[in-house]
Amino acid sequence: MSLPFKTILALDFETRWSSADYTLSKMTTEAYIRDPRFKAFGVCIHEYGTDKHTQWYKHEELPRIFSCYDWTKTAVLAHNAMFDIGIMSMIYGINPCFIFDSLSMARALRGVEVGNSLSKLAEAFELPPKGRAVHSTDGLYELTPEIEAELLDYCKHDVFLCEEVFTRLLTGLHGGGRIAPAYPSKELRLIDMTIRMFTEPKLVLDVPMLEKARDEENEKLQVALERCGVSESELASNDQFALVLERMGQLPPTKKKRPTIKTPNPVGLNFAFAKNDAHFQQMLNGDNEDVALLCEARLRVKSTLERTRAQRFIDIASRGTMPVPLAYYGAETGRWQAAKGGSINFQNMKRGSFLRKAVMAPDGYVIGVMDLSQIEPRVIAWLAGYDVMLEIFRAGGDPYATFGAIMFSIPGLNATEHPLLRQSSKSAMLGASYQLGWAAFSAQLLVGFLGAPPKRYTKEEARQLGVTSAAVKKFIENKWHMEKMLEIARTCTDEELLIHCLAAKAIIEKYRATAEPVVKFWEFLQERLVASLIGGEEYEYKGVLTFKKEEIVLVNGMSLKYPNIEIRKDERGRSEYWYGLGDKKQKLYAGRLANNVTQALARIVMSDGMLRIAKKRRVVGSVHDEALTLLPEATAVPDLAWMKEQMVMEPKWMPGIPLNAGGGFHKRYGLAKN
């Protein structure tokens, strides 16, 4: 493992806290560390891999002890390194040359749904249980000798457990034998890069812009409340909102309760007040202006995100630069997600929002953004051997229009002359490639497919999509089709819904008829589900996927896990497959497998590009398929071109895949791609 260090120090901080008002259960990690009340009682440090004693250093000793190490050659190991290394960086100005995090490693190897606390890991690896401090330090600023001695032993044991867990995760070895392959060095680099996005924050915030936006949002809300003659609490509560609707002569819409593993056949109804509920949309866009205004006010009350985030960003700016808390391997496919306890989710900041525009580069730099283009359609085309689609991507231009021309047999189809068909082609490529059915597609379109505005197909559009009277008759005569259709929440008539579903069904069928290699890939995955994931037959596919019992090993050595697969029967007597731990079961089928392997391999393409970029420029964040980098203003133009080269470099393990990327740079993140 070629990594830039000579020594690894395993360490664990013990810090001041108060259950009343100063605790990580009520504060973000950044706010807790940067709070004026922060105090490290002490830290335990052990030189990993040696017989040296673990040392406890008190609060007053820490600056001296930290000054004794050459941090250009010293790495640090911690469990939840975002916290411990955050303290080292934000309080003591120490940034080790490399960061190991046993929590991140455990999340990737054991799964994101299982407990990966030090206590849970000690139990899983049959280690001595995590200690329990008898005396509480709640609210204490100074420690008595008795409490300090106890805290010292507790902290030393945590360092011991962290090292033991790390060794097992790193080598894949346990007392009972091999539990996993050795941890890939590239993944260790990704952990280091991800933790530094938080512990070494570089981004700054435009406070005047945030204050103005916050005040404007508050003003809009107050105007809406006054016009409706209601209070914020009345709109926030479902029960009270229902009473307000009844006073206005509007029957509150309801929907059936969703089945769960614990309650597969729930009885009763829930209010249909969610933004994406079709009945709520009907009130919001209906002819009753008073009810529509009330629904708008309800959305403003419930959508506190912009206001609270603006204030949170203002608070962060008062303490320093802005950290980016991302969870490495936050999703089962390896993608990043917002870290718990961070309360800053870069992943769902709206494009063009003032929040994105308020995030800025420091003096002398701009934010460079490079986004992989249509990465998932490209990856699944490569996996499925869909050469026609790969050629479309190699030719450049508009892949959705080009595919639409094939799908609808219209040479020269383009966005200007055929907007409906081009959009239908795009929806098919992004959703239908994962075995999306017509019923789910119809329902998603009505509330907005993949973030697009709500869409209901009309008779004329259905004709354009090839719906015939024979197709209508066949659909109506199919009892199961009609039952599935009538289950869809809608604001239209049954006749209008029928037309919409027929159009959606036509799109799905045209995609499947056109994308034959993708359909065959589903069939292959269904075979592997039964023969490999359930039956245990090992099978390698294209050198990038190895199917085994309850897992698919990826080309980078990591795995997609499918534990405890069960076989059930659906309402039509067909076999269904479910997997997961406890009551957190998910349905497993070829489309989900296609989605998972595609996302997982796309993530490897993305992360390999980010690691190449990180060798030369600081990567400060990642949003979906975007890499965010700090570029010196003087070299931004050539640097951006270089960034693109790193992102679209063809992987040796995926020969022939045509990659592309686009981006830009600006002082403000929200304007970088304009």
Side-chain angles (χ1 to χ4, degrees):
M1 180 169 55
S2 178
L3 295 174
F5 57 83
K6 289 186 177 181
T7 304
I8 302 176
L9 300 181
L11 57 77
D12 181 54
F13 279 93
E14 298 298 337
T15 62
R16 179 177 182 247
W17 65 286
S18 170
S19 59
D21 58 358
Y22 181 54
T23 170
L24 286 169
S25 64
K26 299 178 181 179
M27 303 171 68
T28 67
T29 303
E30 176 270 338
Y32 177 88
I33 294 174
R34 285 173 163 172
D35 193 281
R37 293 167 290 183
F38 178 85
K39 179 181 181 181
F41 289 133
V43 65
C44 274
I45 300 178
H46 180 251
E47 189 173 323
Y48 176 75
T50 72
D51 294 330
K52 295 180 180 179
H53 292 297
T54 302
Q55 296 293 326
W56 165 262
Y57 298 102
K58 299 181 181 181
H59 170 77
E60 56 272 17
E61 299 177 280
L62 297 185
R64 177 185 64 81
I65 292 301
F66 287 144
S67 69
C68 294
Y69 294 98
D70 180 357
W71 294 106
T72 64
K73 299 176 182 178
T74 305
V76 171
L77 161 66
H79 193 76
N80 189 13
M82 194 174 288
F83 177 72
D84 293 281
I85 313 304
I87 294 172
M88 292 182 68
S89 177
M90 297 178 191
I91 301 299
Y92 298 99
I94 301 296
N95 293 305
C97 70
F98 201 83
I99 300 169
F100 293 99
D101 180 28
S102 51
L103 174 61
S104 293
M105 296 168 69
R107 186 186 294 121
L109 289 185
R110 287 166 40 84
V112 297
E113 297 296 335
V114 301
N116 288 302
S117 66
L118 207 50
S119 176
K120 292 285 187 182
L121 290 167
E123 182 181 344
F125 291 134
E126 300 174 351
L127 296 168
K130 181 175 166 61
R132 285 176 170 269
V134 177
H135 293 93
S136 174
T137 57
D138 185 359
L140 296 182
Y141 191 77
E142 299 292 343
L143 302 179
T144 65
E146 180 186 26
I147 292 178
E148 183 177 4
E150 184 180 325
L151 196 62
L152 183 159
D153 290 338
Y154 172 83
C155 189
K156 279 186 176 181
H157 187 60
D158 273 4
V159 170
F160 164 77
L161 291 177
C162 177
E163 288 188 315
E164 292 295 316
V165 166
F166 172 69
T167 299
R168 287 157 173 75
L169 296 173
L170 185 67
T171 62
L173 294 174
H174 184 262
R178 181 163 290 281
I179 57 173
Y183 209 88
S185 61
K186 277 188 178 180
E187 293 297 313
L188 293 174
R189 290 181 183 275
L190 287 174
I191 293 173
D192 171 78
M193 183 178 71
T194 304
I195 300 296
R196 288 182 194 277
M197 293 175 189
F198 178 85
T199 61
E200 300 176 32
K202 303 296 182 182
L203 300 173
V204 295
L205 293 162
D206 185 337
V207 174
M209 174 184 281
L210 291 166
E211 289 176 337
K212 180 182 178 183
R214 175 202 60 192
D215 294 343
E216 286 177 353
E217 286 295 317
N218 285 331
E219 220 173 281
K220 290 175 185 176
L221 174 60
Q222 292 307 314
V223 169
L225 292 175
E226 289 174 12
R227 288 179 64 186
C228 294
V230 293
S231 66
E232 189 168 343
S233 61
E234 284 180 295
L235 296 185
S237 162
N238 282 351
D239 291 335
Q240 291 188 53
F241 182 56
L243 292 174
V244 174
L245 287 173
E246 288 175 352
R247 287 202 305 266
M248 300 178 71
Q250 174 69 48
L251 184 67
T254 56
K255 58 187 176 183
K256 291 181 180 179
K257 290 184 177 180
R258 287 189 174 183
T260 65
I261 295 296
K262 290 184 177 179
T263 55
N265 299 300
V267 177
L269 301 170
N270 285 329
F271 288 119
F273 292 159
K275 179 181 179 180
N276 289 335
D277 283 329
H279 293 299
F280 183 82
Q281 284 289 326
Q282 184 178 35
M283 293 192 299
L284 181 65
N285 299 299
D287 295 330
N288 189 323
E289 293 183 6
D290 292 336
V291 172
L293 183 62
L294 187 72
C295 289
E296 286 180 16
R298 156 86 174 188
L299 288 179
R300 287 197 179 280
V301 168
K302 298 299 285 186
S303 301
T304 58
L305 194 60
E306 299 296 297
R307 288 183 292 147
T308 56
R309 271 188 170 180
Q311 186 59 55
R312 188 174 295 127
F313 282 17
I314 293 167
D315 293 341
I316 291 171
S318 70
R319 296 186 290 264
T321 49
M322 182 181 191
V324 179
L326 289 179
Y328 160 86
Y329 244 89
E332 63 181 348
T333 57
R335 285 185 173 269
W336 286 272
Q337 287 186 345
K340 292 181 179 178
S343 295
I344 305 169
N345 189 351
F346 262 65
Q347 308 295 306
N348 69 356
M349 285 198 298
K350 294 179 182 177
R351 293 189 184 278
S353 68
F354 70 86
L355 289 171
R356 284 197 178 207
K357 292 174 185 174
V359 177
M360 301 177 65
D363 290 344
Y365 291 87
V366 292
I367 299 174
V369 176
M370 192 55 61
D371 188 358
L372 282 172
S373 305
Q374 303 108 9
I375 181 61
E376 288 189 27
R378 294 169 192 266
V379 170
I380 195 170
W382 185 89
L383 281 170
Y386 193 3
D387 293 333
V388 171
M389 181 60 69
L390 293 174
E391 285 302 320
I392 289 174
F393 283 121
R394 288 191 187 102
D398 184 343
Y400 302 128
T402 306
F403 178 66
I406 300 171
M407 184 172 162
F408 296 108
S409 301
I410 301 177
L413 185 147
N414 59 74
T416 303
E417 298 177 59
H418 312 90
L420 169 72
L421 300 183
R422 192 263 184 191
Q423 182 59 40
S424 298
S425 169
K426 179 178 180 179
S427 298
M429 283 179 62
L430 296 178
S433 56
Y434 299 139
Q435 215 174 11
L436 183 68
W438 65 263
F441 185 42
S442 300
Q444 290 180 33
L445 284 166
L446 290 175
V447 296
F449 184 68
L450 296 178
K455 172 66 181 175
R456 177 174 59 79
Y457 288 112
T458 64
K459 281 185 179 181
E460 178 56 34
E461 290 170 332
R463 288 192 196 98
Q464 289 184 56
L465 292 166
V467 176
T468 64
S469 57
V472 176
K473 184 175 183 294
K474 185 178 179 181
F475 188 97
I476 292 173
E477 290 174 350
N478 187 312
K479 180 182 176 183
W480 184 80
H481 283 173
M482 293 299 292
E483 288 176 354
K484 296 299 290 184
M485 182 194 83
L486 294 173
E487 288 176 1
I488 298 172
R490 73 280 189 185
T491 61
C492 55
T493 65
D494 288 352
E495 181 182 357
E496 290 170 331
L497 179 63
L498 172 64
I499 297 300
H500 171 73
C501 288
L502 283 162
K505 188 170 183 289
I507 293 172
I508 296 294
E509 289 174 348
K510 284 182 181 294
Y511 174 82
R512 293 183 180 185
T514 306
E516 185 180 355
V518 175
V519 175
K520 288 184 177 179
F521 185 55
W522 299 340
E523 294 169 357
F524 162 77
L525 290 173
Q526 189 66 33
E527 292 173 2
R528 287 303 102 206
L529 194 168
V530 176
S532 298
L533 299 183
I534 296 176
E537 178 182 301
E538 188 167 324
Y539 187 95
E540 184 178 299
Y541 184 73
K542 287 196 167 186
V544 298
L545 302 172
T546 302
F547 295 83
K548 295 183 177 182
K549 179 78 171 179
E550 297 189 341
E551 69 173 334
I552 302 173
V553 182
L554 305 168
V555 65
N556 65 346
M558 309 304 282
S559 293
L560 297 168
K561 301 184 183 301
Y562 303 97
N564 305 326
I565 300 176
E566 299 176 1
I567 304 176
R568 304 176 185 175
K569 296 293 182 182
D570 68 8
E571 69 272 16
R572 300 167 74 184
R574 300 173 302 181
S575 293
E576 285 187 338
Y577 305 91
W578 293 75
Y579 76 100
L581 302 173
D583 61 354
K584 296 180 179 179
K585 295 285 187 180
Q586 300 183 74
K587 189 176 178 181
L588 185 60
Y589 57 100
R592 180 182 286 274
L593 291 174
N595 179 284
N596 287 358
V597 297
T598 299
Q599 277 201 12
L601 293 177
R603 178 266 191 189
I604 299 172
V605 173
M606 171 79 177
S607 59
D608 281 357
M610 290 172 65
L611 287 176
R612 288 190 289 268
I613 291 170
K615 291 179 180 179
K616 179 179 176 181
R617 293 291 179 246
R618 172 61 65 94
V619 177
V620 292
S622 175
V623 179
H624 305 304
D625 300 321
E626 283 183 353
L628 280 62
T629 311
L630 287 186
L631 306 178
E633 288 180 336
T635 60
V637 173
D639 277 358
L640 189 72
W642 174 83
M643 275 182 69
K644 181 174 180 178
E645 291 175 2
Q646 308 315 305
M647 293 293 282
V648 302
M649 191 178 294
E650 182 182 294
K652 293 180 180 179
W653 46 271
M654 195 174 271
I657 185 169
L659 299 176
N660 198 7
F665 62 84
H666 198 276
K667 198 70 180 175
R668 299 180 183 274
Y669 167 46
L671 299 177
K673 291 173 68 176
N674 287 3

